[in-house]
Amino acid sequence: DIQMTQSPSSLSASVGDRVTITCRASQTVSTSLNWYQQTPGKAPNLLIYGASNLQSGVPSRFSGSGSGTDFTLTISSLQPEDVATYYCQQSYSTPRTFGQGTKLEIQ
Amino acid sequence: QVQLVQSGAEVKKPGASVKVSCKASGYTFSSHYMHWVRQAPGQGLEWVGIINPSSESTNYARKFRGRVSMTRDTSTSIVYMELSGLRSEDTAIYYCTRGPWGTSTEDWFDPWGQGTLVIVST
C-alpha cells in the first residue's frame, strides 16, 4: 500500500497569511493526488484533483502542485472560513490511501 | 443537482452486521463508480472499497475482505455496504462518495454523502 504523509499535522496562521501544507507519498503516484477539506461535523469536500486542478466552485485562493512523491496545497490568503482539516489522497493504486490530515486553525 | 443521501445511524452489538444505503440522484447512476470511506471518531479517513454500479463488480481494501459486501439496485439508484462481524473498532462514520464519469483509475471523490454513524457497543 502507498503511505501518504502530511506535514505539519497542525498549523496556526493569521487571516491573510499564505499557508502551505505538504504531502509525501511512499512511492510515486504521478499526478494522481487529490486534496479535500473537512470542517467539523461535515463530510469531506473536494478541493483539488489531479494534483493541480481546482474543483469547480472552490475559491481560487486554493492551489495545488507537485508530481511523483511530493505535493503541496497552498492557500494564498487565509480566510476565517478555511478553518478545517485538510487531507491528501492518492488514486494511483488500490487501496486508495489518505494522509493523516492537517488541522488548520486561525491565530 | 448531484446528491448522495445515506441511511440513518445504527447501533449494533459486537458480532452483528450492518447494512448502510446510499441513494444517488441527479446523474446517470451506472456511469460513475461509487466508493465507501470510513472515519473513526476523531480519526482520519480510511478507504473501504469500490463498486461499479453498472456491472456490480467490486474491489475491497484487504483489511475488510471477507467481512464487507457492496451491492447496488439499479432500479432505485441505491448502493449498499454491508459489514459483518462487527467489533468496537468498526465504530465510525461511513461515507459513500462518487468517482468521476466512466473511470475507476486516477479518480477523485465528489460529492460525498452526509455520512452514516455506526456504533458498535454492548
Side-chain angles (χ1 to χ4, degrees):
Chain A
D1 300 359
I2 299 177
Q3 307 302 316
M4 308 300 293
T5 304
Q6 291 180 229
S7 61
S9 295
S10 63
L11 173 59
S12 183
S14 301
V15 173
D17 281 355
R18 182 181 184 87
V19 171
T20 298
I21 298 170
T22 63
C23 177
R24 175 164 288 176
S26 60
Q27 63 191 77
T28 184
V29 298
S30 184
T31 56
S32 301
L33 190 285
N34 309 311
W35 291 95
Y36 301 87
Q37 176 193 61
Q38 186 178 34
T39 54
K42 299 290 189 181
N45 181 53
L46 178 67
L47 296 175
I48 302 286
Y49 64 93
S52 60
N53 299 288
L54 189 68
Q55 172 66 351
S56 175
V58 174
S60 58
R61 63 180 179 273
F62 291 93
S63 64
S65 65
S67 65
T69 60
D70 294 306
F71 302 86
T72 299
L73 173 70
T74 299
I75 308 172
S76 61
S77 178
L78 186 65
Q79 300 301 303
E81 60 266 31
D82 300 335
V83 169
T85 299
Y86 294 84
Y87 294 94
C88 63
Q89 174 249 328
Q90 64 81 19
S91 60
Y92 186 78
S93 68
T94 297
R96 305 290 189 259
T97 47
F98 293 86
Q100 81 279 14
T102 295
K103 187 173 184 179
L104 176 59
E105 298 174 330
I106 299 287
Q107 272 182 351
Chain B
Q1 75 282 19
V2 176
Q3 231 181 344
L4 302 175
V5 179
Q6 299 184 223
S7 50
E10 303 263 13
V11 180
K12 296 291 183 182
K13 294 198 183 304
S17 297
V18 68
K19 191 170 187 178
V20 180
S21 68
C22 170
K23 182 171 177 58
S25 61
Y27 70 97
T28 302
F29 177 69
S30 58
S31 295
H32 295 255
Y33 289 73
M34 195 75 80
H35 299 257
W36 288 88
V37 174
R38 78 177 186 179
Q39 186 170 37
Q43 302 301 308
L45 301 166
E46 181 176 32
W47 184 79
V48 178
I50 181 176
I51 181 169
N52 179 346
S54 178
S55 66
E56 210 170 27
S57 63
T58 55
N59 192 356
Y60 306 133
R62 191 178 309 115
K63 72 178 286 186
F64 299 105
R65 283 178 202 155
R67 288 206 301 140
V68 69
S69 175
M70 296 178 187
T71 56
R72 66 37 174 147
D73 181 339
T74 55
S75 67
T76 56
S77 299
I78 295 176
V79 294
Y80 298 94
M81 186 214 61
E82 185 169 20
L83 189 62
S84 62
L86 289 169
R87 32 210 193 224
S88 58
E89 311 90 87
D90 294 317
T91 293
I93 298 172
Y94 289 77
Y95 295 101
C96 59
T97 180
R98 191 191 72 163
W101 184 90
T103 181
S104 65
T105 59
E106 299 178 336
D107 54 9
W108 51 88
F109 304 151
D110 179 70
W112 295 60
Q114 83 277 18
T116 296
L117 175 62
V118 175
I119 296 172
V120 184
S121 174
T122 56

